[in-house]
Amino acid sequence: MISNDIKQQFIRIVGAENYDDSQAGRLVYSYDATPQFQSLPDAVIAPRNTQEVAEIVKICNEHRIPIVPRGSGTNLCAGTCPIEGGIVLVFKHMNKILEIDEENLTVTVQPGVITLDLIKAVEEKGLFYPPDPSSMKISTIGGNINENSGGLRGLKYGVTRDYVMALEVVLPNGEIIRTGGKLAKDVAGYDLTRLFVGSEGTLGVITEATLKLIPMPETKKTMLALYQDLEAAARSVSKIIANKIIPATLEFLDQPTLEVVEAYAQIGLPTDVKAVLLIEQDGPQEIVERDIKKMAEICKSEQAVSVQLARSEEEAEALRTARRTALSALARLKPTTILEDATVPRSEIAKMVKAINEIAEKYNVKICTFGHAGDGNLHPTCPTDARDRDEMERVEKAFAEIFAKAIELGGTITGEHGVGAMKAPYLEWKLGEAGIAAMKAIKQALDPNNIMNPGKVFAKSTRKRVVVTR
Amino acid sequence: MTTEKERSIIQTKFRERMDEDELMNCMRCGFCLPTCPTYIESGFQESHSPRGRIALMKAVVDGLIEPDEDVERSLNMCLGCRACEPVCPSGVRYGHLLEEARDIIQQNKKHSFPIRVVRKLVFDELFPYPKRMRIATALLGFYQRSGLRSFARKTGLLKVLPPSLRDMEKILPDVPALKEMKERPRHLESEGAPKRRVAFFSGCLMDTMFMPTNDATMRLLQLAGCEIVIPESQTCCGALHGHGGEKQKAKELAKQNIRAFEELDVDYIVTNAGGCGAFLMEYDHLLKDEEEWRERAKAFVAKIKDISEVLVELDFHKKRLKVEPQVVTYQDSCHLRNVMKTSASPRKLLRAIQGVEFREMKDADRCCGSAGIYNIVEPEMSMQILDYKMEMAKQTKATTIVTANPGCLLQMKLGIEREGLSDRVRAVHIVDFLLEAAEGVQASEHEERIRKTS
């Protein structure tokens, strides 16, 4: 609870118009895109600059008020659901692109900038910012950094982490620090930039970021390979990489996913095949053509029933858009949609896909799988109904087993969505007790009063590890 | 403002009437946010976004919050443009949720006396009656022609009106005389061999204040090869009622329209106003709980088609169409685009006109802020949205802004007026522009014939 006295202090900092503790105002910041998580904050505050953020944080630290920094609330791990109340910080005023530096190839932004706006702004100057999460039309850079978002281009170009060069952060004690710089080489001390990327708002509030840009690839080609055998598709993925080709995109969709995506996007996706690979390569024209030809041969040798090249940029864009909407299109099947992002080394894709199908059958639940097959990041997705308790229990068991299997194959419980509140009970499976202890030590050192996004990453209790039966 | 008792009744009604499956269907992915004009113009306030509004409705149903002023404010602030629907991957029918919620609130709160009187007059006594619509329009005509208008403008008498209404007065079209409005055609033969037999939904405002546009619509249909029937017993579509929380009245009007059209044996029922067309197209949803009307509504809905779709189907764009050289841009009617799914045909027709340099404006699919009576009840937000729209329109350097709905047309005219561009830029309904193009060809062909013979 926030006392009236503290409320007045907040209002003095940001102005009454940027402090909202009305019932409706709090309700609309009580959730993010994660199913089954909702909790009211005590207030919503929209600071106008870093100084105001620092002053707010100081007050919160003094009075032990939880702070949840929030972008557009599109994350899938309940990372911005204020499960312990407190204040939600929104960055609607801090949404400027501060500088595009064409000499150093960097862009400096405030956290509230929309990802796609940034991408468009730098593309106008012939530059390229590759991370492209499915929600990029509305997600913010601040959110992307805190969740270390991935996207379709992750395989070749990496994820958000690989593009963050410098940060301005307000620490939980209210101090403002700057990490990194516009430097390709910098070994001065611990790499705090990397520590804050993906920290899910648990270590501080990011108030500014300098991001790396690269030159725009000259050309791009898009191709679709169809399979009647799911594992053949997965084998193609491994074989493409083994042949030393790193495509810009290598996405996988299984039949149930294809059906719903087609019903939504109506772009003529085949729905009579068992799996589809969406493959893209970009770069200089000769190399793109050579790689695409080679990949088409590999797909055919792995029993692809057909390999089609997109005839125009519109057609290619339609295919990419269709893939981006996969998650939400699945939501059409049932009221509740549980989406996971178990990730394995890409050599293990075929085994993982097979295991997911077996697990779904074992627990009698429907699981559709799509994802970034090229980097081993799969999205097994379960359309269900939160009102059906019995089924929800089976879904939970099935996913627990999927996580266990992913770890067994050398993978992880989450590739790009983050831990948040949702995966916290499983984190120890991946890190072990000592791993958790090391992370907790960092948290304790920076945020001794546990005001920054409490209840995230670290769970009160770890779930019992499932033993995978074979 | 609602009393505590009213809020408790509203909450109960929410629980009884709101479609829980539809509310659950929203997975809060946020894909609707970037398309919502009020979310953007409010400076990214979640409570003014579709996801936020659905969360509020659900929270009222779940008993998490009371339907207080802020909840009502959030729902009122919605334009109802439904741009969130085509982008919603899980297919939430947001428009239906909004309509139901507004109806529950309107029907269960006591308005102040003047508001009650105005609502009753407009919804119950005026729009459902074509005759009264004609008389009301004729009164406006009297005002415009008698010298009263110039008197009011000169003396500053109009200053008693709030600014939003004062601006409105300026942009209203010169309306036809009562006699003309009374003598409307009921049946028209096609020009040449008939390719289709269609019925024309003439609407209430369209057949009075915008009568020339209706005439142009029928003329185009004739030129395209349509035999046209215009049933006299048709009435207002009920959109204004449906969107304004008067669902019961909307249902009555829907039934009257279904009765008027269902025996006609026509290929299509043609509309020329996106707002009306979209509402007609959802009569099946409106009457879904009424056993004996369900099938009849479905049959009616299956025949609704916008004029531009009919024209493209009949290859009207392949005719010779010509206007003076000019830059043209097109502002989508939200309901035509988002509900009737018509956006390509109007553009196809415009591009087919010789002399037209068509330039797409940025965010042409974003609402112009007219939204029924929104520009009167929420003038501040409406004008903010309009200013953005005019900025985009100006960037195209278009001298003609084409729209496909009377509300949008007036709003565009208002925008032109506000920007001080009325000597350079005009706003026009697509059918009027198409007729101008078709007649332009006829006129130039006529001239050519005269030149040749002399």
Side-chain angles (χ1 to χ4, degrees):
Chain A
M1 276 302 286
I2 295 169
S3 70
N4 190 45
D5 177 44
I6 295 171
K7 173 177 168 171
Q8 294 313 320
Q9 292 183 41
F10 285 137
I11 289 176
R12 268 199 295 278
I13 298 166
V14 294
E17 69 280 13
N18 291 312
Y19 180 93
D20 188 357
D21 59 0
S22 69
Q23 185 194 222
R26 292 187 294 133
L27 191 278
V28 294
Y29 293 98
S30 65
Y31 53 80
D32 51 35
T34 321
Q36 292 183 291
F37 283 88
Q38 183 159 26
S39 176
L40 287 171
D42 294 308
V44 181
I45 302 183
R48 291 167 293 193
N49 53 52
T50 305
Q51 205 50 48
E52 289 185 358
V53 174
E55 286 177 47
I56 293 164
V57 170
K58 271 183 200 153
I59 294 173
C60 289
N61 195 35
E62 186 184 336
H63 299 281
R64 312 284 191 266
I65 298 167
I67 305 174
V68 182
R70 182 186 187 275
S72 294
T74 54
N75 77 85
L76 293 161
C77 65
T80 51
C81 178
I83 54 176
E84 295 189 14
I87 60 168
V88 167
L89 278 189
V90 294
F91 295 90
K92 60 180 190 180
H93 299 303
M94 296 174 68
N95 62 351
K96 313 283 178 308
I97 296 177
L98 301 173
E99 179 204 50
I100 298 176
D101 182 342
E102 291 181 76
E103 283 176 28
N104 289 307
L105 296 191
T106 61
V107 58
T108 301
V109 295
Q110 292 184 314
V113 171
I114 305 286
T115 313
L116 187 63
D117 292 347
L118 167 88
I119 290 176
K120 281 186 178 162
V122 301
E123 282 186 358
E124 263 173 36
K125 301 201 182 284
L127 295 167
F128 187 37
Y129 177 74
D132 61 340
S134 290
S135 55
M136 65 178 179
K137 273 191 185 169
I138 190 64
S139 68
T140 64
I141 288 293
N144 290 171
I145 293 173
N146 273 298
E147 296 295 332
N148 190 5
S149 306
L152 272 65
R153 303 194 274 233
L155 165 64
K156 182 171 180 177
Y157 291 104
V159 295
T160 304
R161 172 184 61 218
D162 302 304
Y163 294 87
V164 183
M165 301 185 81
L167 292 173
E168 180 188 72
V169 184
V170 175
L171 295 177
N173 61 8
E175 296 288 341
I176 301 165
I177 61 164
R178 284 187 168 268
T179 72
K182 292 178 182 174
L183 303 160
K185 293 178 176 176
D186 179 10
V187 291
Y190 292 154
D191 189 348
L192 290 184
T193 312
R194 284 225 168 185
L195 175 63
F196 280 100
V197 176
S199 64
E200 304 186 8
T202 61
L203 300 179
V205 184
I206 293 168
T207 48
E208 196 186 295
T210 299
L211 307 168
K212 181 169 84 176
L213 303 173
I214 57 177
M216 270 294 269
E218 294 153 48
T219 54
K220 175 148 77 175
K221 275 197 160 36
T222 306
M223 178 170 78
L224 206 61
L226 319 180
Y227 294 85
Q228 283 304 354
D229 176 11
L230 214 109
E231 286 172 52
R235 274 200 311 274
S236 300
V237 173
S238 305
K239 207 166 160 189
I240 286 170
I241 311 284
N243 269 274
K244 303 186 178 55
I245 300 172
I246 307 284
T249 309
L250 187 41
E251 295 289 307
F252 166 89
L253 294 97
D254 72 356
Q255 189 176 27
T257 314
L258 282 170
E259 279 170 11
V260 283
V261 171
E262 177 57 18
Y264 168 63
Q266 288 171 10
I267 51 159
L269 283 175
T271 53
D272 56 348
V273 292
K274 289 278 183 297
V276 156
L277 289 180
L278 170 70
I279 306 169
E280 288 188 302
Q281 184 59 304
D282 60 10
Q285 196 169 350
E286 323 78 83
I287 294 172
V288 170
E289 267 165 25
R290 188 196 67 197
D291 284 355
I292 285 279
K293 192 165 161 259
K294 188 84 206 277
M295 288 191 284
E297 279 164 17
I298 293 171
C299 293
K300 279 180 196 149
S301 76
E302 285 297 336
Q303 284 104 44
V305 287
S306 125
V307 181
Q308 307 159 0
L309 202 65
R311 278 163 303 213
S312 62
E313 178 48 31
E314 285 78 40
E315 211 179 294
E317 185 53 33
L319 292 175
R320 287 193 288 270
T321 306
R323 161 58 192 86
R324 277 206 181 89
T325 52
L327 149 68
S328 313
L330 281 165
R332 301 196 154 207
L333 300 182
K334 291 277 196 78
T336 311
T337 306
I338 311 229
L339 170 85
E340 287 301 343
D341 65 332
T343 300
V344 292
R346 51 197 168 214
S347 56
E348 307 297 313
I349 285 275
K351 279 184 211 153
M352 193 64 216
V353 170
K354 188 161 171 274
I356 291 170
N357 286 335
E358 285 164 5
I359 292 166
E361 209 170 301
K362 177 175 162 190
Y363 290 98
N364 186 28
V365 292
K366 185 183 178 79
I367 298 184
C368 304
T369 303
F370 62 96
H372 321 297
D375 49 29
N377 179 198
L378 292 172
H379 290 307
T381 302
C382 179
T384 179
D385 189 333
R387 291 168 292 191
D388 184 343
R389 286 242 177 104
D390 173 60
E391 185 169 294
M392 288 308 285
E393 226 165 86
R394 280 181 284 124
V395 169
E396 205 168 315
K397 281 184 185 150
F399 276 117
E401 199 161 323
I402 288 172
F403 299 152
K405 182 73 192 176
I407 291 170
E408 185 194 300
L409 291 172
T412 181
I413 55 170
T414 173
E416 60 180 355
H417 293 168
V419 177
M422 196 184 186
K423 293 257 178 69
Y426 302 97
L427 187 63
E428 201 181 306
W429 296 11
K430 169 72 169 69
L431 300 178
E433 234 173 280
I436 293 266
M439 284 195 189
K440 274 190 174 165
I442 295 171
K443 166 80 174 167
Q444 176 66 25
L446 286 173
D447 182 18
N449 296 324
N450 194 26
I451 58 160
M452 288 308 307
N453 208 2
K456 311 297 162 64
V457 183
F458 308 108
K460 291 208 170 71
S461 63
T462 290
R463 271 185 70 101
K464 202 168 155 284
R465 176 92 172 240
V466 189
V467 181
V468 183
T469 48
R470 258 157 298 177
Chain B
M1 281 292 268
T2 43
T3 62
E4 201 173 312
K5 192 169 162 223
E6 282 167 353
R7 286 201 291 275
S8 137
I9 295 171
I10 290 170
Q11 189 133 30
T12 313
K13 293 280 174 198
F14 258 73
R15 234 168 264 149
E16 286 168 14
R17 284 177 52 187
M18 293 304 291
D19 185 339
E20 203 198 338
D21 286 337
E22 201 70 69
L23 289 170
M24 288 273 295
N25 215 1
C26 170
M27 56 185 304
R28 304 168 179 162
C29 65
F31 282 25
C32 54
L33 301 178
T35 66
C36 177
T38 57
Y39 179 66
I40 294 166
E41 292 297 335
S42 69
F44 301 101
Q45 275 197 56
E46 181 85 15
S47 54
H48 293 316
S49 77
R51 177 173 72 171
R53 292 185 183 109
I54 292 174
L56 288 171
M57 293 183 220
K58 186 164 187 300
V60 172
V61 171
D62 293 345
L64 261 176
I65 59 169
E66 272 198 327
D68 65 5
E69 248 176 279
D70 294 329
V71 173
E72 213 184 308
R73 182 87 204 105
S74 158
L75 296 177
N76 284 343
M77 198 60 129
C78 176
L79 295 149
C81 72
R82 299 171 72 170
C84 47
E85 290 187 33
V87 296
C88 174
S90 33
V92 175
R93 283 166 298 182
Y94 170 81
H96 296 169
L97 288 171
L98 178 74
E99 234 159 58
E100 195 72 11
R102 279 183 175 169
D103 192 58
I104 294 170
I105 293 173
Q106 290 305 332
Q107 296 308 317
N108 292 289
K109 72 181 257 186
K110 201 168 158 65
H111 290 284
S112 66
F113 182 70
I115 299 235
R116 256 187 354 252
V117 172
V118 172
R119 283 185 74 95
K120 171 123 183 82
L121 268 178
V122 172
F123 288 130
D124 293 355
E125 306 297 338
L126 180 61
F127 278 82
Y129 300 100
K131 199 175 154 192
R132 295 180 193 169
M133 284 299 287
R134 288 196 291 270
I135 292 171
T137 311
L139 284 174
L140 176 65
F142 175 76
Y143 165 80
Q144 290 175 337
R145 282 185 291 266
S146 64
L148 203 58
R149 174 164 69 182
S150 51
F151 175 76
R153 285 183 183 172
K154 266 186 216 140
T155 54
L157 201 62
L158 289 169
K159 289 203 181 111
V160 301
L161 293 173
S164 56
L165 284 180
R166 212 182 317 156
D167 288 341
M168 260 319 137
E169 187 268 353
K170 273 191 229 154
I171 46 119
L172 287 176
D174 286 337
V175 299
L178 184 59
K179 188 163 170 289
E180 291 172 60
M181 289 188 279
K182 273 188 190 161
E183 290 163 1
R184 301 299 288 151
R186 293 296 155 212
H187 183 259
L188 293 166
E189 293 297 339
S190 68
E191 195 104 324
K195 294 184 199 158
R196 300 279 188 283
R197 183 179 144 86
V198 302
F200 177 51
F201 181 82
S202 50
C204 51
L205 267 178
M206 288 307 294
D207 218 33
T208 50
M209 200 183 283
F210 296 92
M211 201 180 81
T213 302
N214 264 5
D215 290 340
T217 308
M218 289 186 276
R219 186 71 199 132
L220 289 175
L221 285 170
Q222 283 181 299
L223 291 173
C226 293
E227 177 195 352
I228 315 163
V229 282
I230 308 106
E232 197 170 358
S233 56
Q234 62 174 302
T235 182
C236 165
C237 67
L240 209 55
H241 305 77
H243 305 324
E246 297 286 338
K247 226 172 170 179
Q248 202 45 47
K249 191 74 201 173
K251 284 182 187 173
E252 284 166 32
L253 295 169
K255 288 173 190 169
Q256 191 178 332
N257 278 323
I258 293 172
R259 262 189 234 110
F261 284 92
E262 66 189 345
E263 304 289 342
L264 290 181
D265 186 31
V266 290
D267 299 310
Y268 303 124
I269 300 168
V270 183
T271 60
N272 63 358
C276 307
F279 199 75
L280 296 171
M281 215 164 194
E282 297 200 316
Y283 273 4
D284 54 345
H285 174 78
L286 185 67
L287 298 170
K288 69 179 189 323
D289 298 326
E290 302 199 28
E291 191 74 50
E292 66 167 309
W293 286 95
R294 207 176 296 139
E295 290 308 311
R296 292 165 77 179
K298 271 192 191 144
F300 177 87
V301 164
K303 289 192 172 171
I304 301 293
K305 225 180 178 75
D306 183 69
I307 173 79
S308 58
E309 295 282 9
V310 177
L311 292 177
V312 168
E313 188 181 301
L314 295 174
D315 285 339
F316 192 80
H317 55 294
K318 292 183 184 158
K319 284 181 189 291
R320 274 198 65 206
L321 302 165
K322 190 180 170 188
V323 291
E324 289 295 307
Q326 57 193 287
V327 178
V328 174
T329 194
Y330 176 72
Q331 162 62 27
D332 279 293
S333 144
C334 296
H335 284 190
L336 184 60
R337 183 185 181 102
N338 302 327
V339 184
M340 297 184 84
K341 311 279 185 236
T342 293
S343 58
S345 291
R347 290 174 168 84
K348 196 170 194 172
L349 289 162
L350 291 174
R351 284 180 196 276
I353 302 170
Q354 204 189 323
V356 165
E357 186 189 339
F358 185 78
R359 285 193 205 147
E360 191 70 47
M361 86 171 116
K362 184 169 178 261
D363 293 330
D365 57 354
R366 193 188 290 177
C367 182
C368 65
S370 163
I373 54 167
Y374 189 90
N375 50 4
I376 298 168
V377 292
E378 297 289 347
E380 204 179 310
M381 178 59 91
S382 172
M383 291 308 113
Q384 202 178 321
I385 291 171
L386 177 59
D387 290 346
Y388 175 79
K389 180 61 63 188
M390 292 318 293
E391 205 41 58
M392 297 303 111
K394 276 196 284 190
Q395 280 177 16
T396 66
K397 304 231 176 343
T399 51
T400 305
I401 305 172
V402 178
T403 70
N405 185 60
C408 318
L409 179 64
L410 288 183
Q411 183 84 344
M412 287 297 106
K413 288 189 172 178
L414 184 60
I416 292 167
E417 184 77 27
R418 279 165 65 88
E419 299 284 331
L421 295 169
S422 37
D423 56 334
R424 278 159 285 167
V425 182
R426 64 170 178 161
V428 55
H429 191 292
I430 186 164
V431 295
D432 292 315
F433 192 61
L434 285 171
L435 190 62
E436 187 184 316
E439 282 173 346
V441 169
Q442 282 179 343
S444 64
E445 278 172 356
H446 183 66
E447 268 169 34
E448 211 166 298
R449 268 198 302 277
I450 294 173
R451 217 181 41 233
K452 274 182 188 162
T453 49
S454 61

